[in-house]
């Protein structure tokens, strides 16, 4: 764990202004922290060790090349070493590109419109500077997400997370939008670094890592069937990402646990058929995972249906907020009139229609 998160900040940005809403609460830190930042390399090592302590065998550096079938049933995997490992059930947790789910015939290759391209830099900065800049107590953390002009007209968002002695600054936009715009994510990140909501927070930091990775964002519409005889899919491999809430890791961990429990039950009955394994889907529906994905499944389409959504609404929020705080010798009534004029220009009914789907993300 890098830092437990005491503050979550949402920023609506235009090119030169921004409005932010921050929620800071010590309740987030009570018991097991509500959220915390991690760096994947040390976290994954720690997490793998936990699995080994619980009895798992880890084959690091071995790539799975395909599945082994017995008739319609999947009974194992082929490795890069040319070995075949047999299994009662193969659980595909091989991430967004999931070659295993494809080889099992459960899904085709993803389209650029079904994935976001996330790019991230780790920026080294002393812990005390991070705590000063984000007004944090020692060891505590904050995260910030940015919506609006920071996605440069594409569908997506930007984020800034605090680690122990580094910041993670990133962007995530639809791959098809990057293609259309002909923009590299590294160029996008450079533009983000100059934004007034970000510039002073990262000043003097040193880039020590750059990485980019696909994020499955097709949601329920792109979710493959989750089981077949001798086979289950979980995590990014099954499109289990709730982009509206920036959640993916927790969904992957929950699905992995529920798949493991399903396999244990199947083993007790010695039945590895699709029918026996389908209790996995029931378990996913009975917890937060499927209900949450159902709630947000049409959100992206609703936002895309309003081409200037991520440009117009952050600008409106900034203009209205600026009016609220303007002191210019005019009666406040004049500011109020100007505010109403801005709202009427777009149309109140139209705005209600455009904003209504957003309630699911709030
Ligand atoms: C820039 C970025 C920011 C993100 N921010 C957040 C966030 O703030 N909060 C959050 O909850 N989620 C976030 N996510 C999403 C989160 O990282 C994923 O949802 C999560 O890691 C999914 O876990 P997984 O185990 O399914 O897949 P992965 O973490 O991708 O793990 C898959 C593993 O399988 C291995 N693998 C793949 N193919 C093979 C093969 N053939 N043989 C052997 N091994 C194989 C890979 O090497 C990898 O180790 C973010 C993602 C990105 C890219």
């Amino acid at each position: 764990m890098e830092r437990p998160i005491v503050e979550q900040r949402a920023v609506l940005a235009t090119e030169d202004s921004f409005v932010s809403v921050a929620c800071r609460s010590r309740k987030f830190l009570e018991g097991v922290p509500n959220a915390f930042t991690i760096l994947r390399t040390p976290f994954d090592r720690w997490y793998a060790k936990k699995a080994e302590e619980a009895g798992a065998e880890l084959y690091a550096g071995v790539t799975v090349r395909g599945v082994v079938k017995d008739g319609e049933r999947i009974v194992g995997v082929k490795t890069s070493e040319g070995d075949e490992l047999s299994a009662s059930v193969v659980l595909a947790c091989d991430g967004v590109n999931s070659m295993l789910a494809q080889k099992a015939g459960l899904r085709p290759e993803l389209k650029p419109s079904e994935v976001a391209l996330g790019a991230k830099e780790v920026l080294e900065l002393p812990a005390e500077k991070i705590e000063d800049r984000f007004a944090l107590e020692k060891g505590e953390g904050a995260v910030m997400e940015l919506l609006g002009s920071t996605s440069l007209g594409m569908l997506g968002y930007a984020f800034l997370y605090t680690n122990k002695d580094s910041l993670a600054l990133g962007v995530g936009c639809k791959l098809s939008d990057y293609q259309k715009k002909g923009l590299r994510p590294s160029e996008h990140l450079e533009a983000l670094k100059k934004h007034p909501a970000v510039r002073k927070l990262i000043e003097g930091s040193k880039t020590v890592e750059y990485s980019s990775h696909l994020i499955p964002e097709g949601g329920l519409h792109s979710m493959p069937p989750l089981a077949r005889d001798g086979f289950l899919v979980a995590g990014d491999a099954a499109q289990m990402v709730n982009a509206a809430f920036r959640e993916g890791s927790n969904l992957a961990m929950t699905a992995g646990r529920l798949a493991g429990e399903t396999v244990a039950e199947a083993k007790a009955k010695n039945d590895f058929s699709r029918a026996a394994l389908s209790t996995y889907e029931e378990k996913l529906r009975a917890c937060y995972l499927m209900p949450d994905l159902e709630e947000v499944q049409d959100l992206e389409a609703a936002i895309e249906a309003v081409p200037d959504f991520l440009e117009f609404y952050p600008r409106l929020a900034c203009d209205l907020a600026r009016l609220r705080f303007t002191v210019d010798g005019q009666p406040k009534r004049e500011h109020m009139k100007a505010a109403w004029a801005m709202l009427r220009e777009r149309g109140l009914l139209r705005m209600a229609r455009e904003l209504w789907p957003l309630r699911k993300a709030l």
Side-chain angles (χ1 to χ4, degrees):
M1 185 165 86
E2 291 290 307
R3 286 177 186 265
I5 301 306
V6 71
E7 180 178 308
Q8 304 256 0
R9 209 181 285 179
V11 174
L12 297 176
T14 69
E15 289 82 22
D16 57 1
S17 355
F18 61 93
V19 169
S20 68
V21 184
C23 173
R24 181 179 291 222
S25 171
R26 303 208 69 75
K27 287 204 165 62
F28 283 141
L29 305 183
E30 282 169 11
V32 177
N34 172 64
F36 44 87
T37 46
I38 54 158
L39 291 171
R40 284 295 297 264
T41 308
F43 177 82
D44 285 10
R45 274 198 202 117
W46 172 84
Y47 202 38
K49 203 157 179 301
K50 288 278 164 198
E52 283 187 301
E53 282 166 15
E57 257 179 70
L58 179 70
Y59 299 93
V62 178
T63 307
V64 171
R65 293 258 187 250
V67 292
V68 184
K69 284 187 189 163
D70 178 6
E72 277 309 295
R73 191 179 147 195
I74 289 172
V75 292
V77 292
K78 294 178 195 142
T79 72
S80 48
E81 269 64 27
D83 298 326
E84 287 192 358
L85 297 176
S86 60
S88 310
V89 178
V90 172
L91 169 51
C93 303
D94 49 343
V96 56
N97 288 312
S98 191
M99 180 268 284
L100 274 171
Q102 287 179 48
K103 294 256 174 185
L106 292 184
R107 59 159 243 213
E109 203 170 320
L110 291 171
K111 295 192 273 298
S113 58
E114 289 174 305
V115 287
L117 181 56
K120 187 186 82 179
E121 276 189 27
V122 176
L123 306 164
E124 224 168 51
L125 197 67
E128 311 77 59
K129 277 214 165 136
I130 293 176
E131 284 147 10
D132 280 353
R133 288 183 189 182
F134 290 83
L136 295 166
E137 298 292 341
K138 196 173 164 51
E140 292 178 357
V143 300
M144 191 166 134
E145 73 179 305
L146 301 106
L147 290 163
S149 68
T150 40
S151 57
L152 306 180
M154 298 179 288
L155 185 65
Y157 54 88
F159 61 88
L160 182 62
Y161 292 173
T162 56
N163 301 317
K164 258 188 205 121
D165 44 21
S166 65
L167 301 171
L169 179 70
V171 288
C173 290
K174 267 187 134 175
L175 180 58
S176 49
D177 283 358
Y178 276 120
Q179 286 178 327
K180 265 185 245 155
K181 216 175 162 62
L183 188 77
R184 287 166 198 265
S186 55
E187 293 164 344
H188 189 177
L189 264 176
E190 287 312 311
L192 177 66
K193 286 179 185 173
K194 297 190 186 104
H195 193 275
V198 171
R199 195 169 53 84
K200 295 300 280 184
L201 294 175
I202 63 167
E203 195 172 63
S205 61
K206 183 175 150 220
T207 304
V208 290
E209 192 184 307
Y210 171 84
S211 59
S212 72
H213 199 281
L214 295 177
I215 308 174
E217 292 202 345
L220 273 193
H221 296 295
S222 302
M223 187 177 273
L226 298 177
R228 58 171 285 180
D229 294 345
F231 193 84
L232 290 172
V233 198
D236 276 14
Q239 289 271 342
M240 292 172 181
V241 166
N242 184 344
F245 286 81
R246 281 177 298 115
E247 292 179 16
S249 311
N250 52 336
L251 277 71
M253 288 189 268
T254 298
R257 176 171 57 78
L258 295 176
E261 286 170 14
T262 306
V263 176
E265 287 161 16
K267 237 175 151 50
K269 290 190 236 146
N270 201 27
D271 180 357
F272 306 107
S273 64
R274 196 210 169 293
L277 295 177
S278 63
T279 55
Y280 171 51
E281 288 162 42
E282 287 163 25
K283 291 183 177 72
L284 291 169
R285 275 195 292 273
C287 73
Y288 71 92
L289 197 147
M290 287 299 202
D292 280 4
L293 290 179
E294 270 163 28
E295 280 297 300
V296 297
Q297 63 181 324
D298 296 320
L299 191 62
E300 189 178 297
I303 293 177
E304 274 195 311
V306 184
D308 65 346
F309 194 99
L310 286 177
E311 203 250 313
F312 175 77
Y313 285 105
R315 185 172 305 285
L316 181 69
C318 286
D319 288 347
L320 289 174
R322 203 180 51 249
L323 262 181
R324 167 64 181 77
F325 296 114
T326 294
V327 182
D328 59 359
Q330 297 273 331
K332 301 294 179 218
R333 196 177 293 154
E334 292 305 313
H335 293 171
M336 192 71 171
K337 270 191 207 155
W340 274 113
M342 282 180 208
L343 297 174
R344 270 199 304 270
E345 197 183 329
R346 183 80 167 185
L348 292 178
L349 258 179
R350 177 179 172 191
M351 288 204 302
R353 228 182 8 252
E354 289 174 350
L355 291 172
W356 181 241
L358 222 62
R359 73 196 185 282
K360 309 242 169 156
L362 297 176

